[in-house]
Amino acid sequence: MIEYCSFQDVKITFIAAGSAACHSVAIDQDGKCYVWGRNEKGQLGLGDQLTRNVPTVLDALKDEKIVSAACGRYHTVFITDKGESYACGGNSYGQCGTGTVRKAKGGEDLLLTPQKCSITNCSKVCC
């Protein structure tokens, strides 16, 4: 079930957005992650390609404490308090950092849910 949020009584500690991105990420003091905006490449990590006009809890990372994130045009990267990185969205050029690109014939590599990246020991990220 997808949970929507209004941010009332939620203490946001970090917000990520990008000049080329039309989506955003907010992280609360407990490391819970909220996403919204365009999602045509799965950059919200919600398992689909539907645009969200309101903040939506990213359940795929509910067991992680997220401390930082960055939004690229068609992808998003999240950093945990343990320094691990996760990415979702368009990965046609390897920009998600998973170490692989899996293009279907005539298609593109889309990571619809956050996948663990090859990069560890992170504290910040930019796209």
Side-chain angles (χ1 to χ4, degrees), residues 4-27:
Y4 298 100
C5 170
S6 70
F7 289 144
Q8 185 175 348
D9 300 323
V10 176
K11 294 188 184 209
I12 299 298
T13 59
F14 186 87
I15 295 175
S19 59
C22 292
H23 66 287
S24 301
V25 176
I27 302 167

Side-chain angles (χ1 to χ4, degrees), residues 15 45 53 62-63 68 92:
I15 295 175
N53 294 318
K62 69 181 178 199
D63 295 330
S68 186
S92 295

Side-chain angles (χ1 to χ4, degrees), residues 73-119:
R73 184 169 185 170
Y74 296 119
H75 69 294
T76 309
V77 181
F78 307 91
I79 304 297
T80 71
D81 63 337
K82 298 173 194 140
E84 297 173 327
S85 56
Y86 291 83
C88 56
N91 189 46
S92 295
Y93 302 100
Q95 63 267 47
C96 288
T98 59
T100 61
V101 175
R102 296 185 189 117
K103 286 187 182 182
K105 187 173 183 173
E108 57 188 319
D109 187 14
L110 299 181
L111 307 175
L112 299 181
T113 58
Q115 303 297 308
K116 195 174 241 186
C117 300
S118 302
I119 298 132

Side-chain angles (χ1 to χ4, degrees), residues 30-43:
D30 298 320
K32 193 175 195 179
C33 198
Y34 307 84
V35 294
W36 68 97
R38 282 188 8 199
N39 191 34
E40 65 270 26
K41 306 285 185 184
Q43 59 264 46

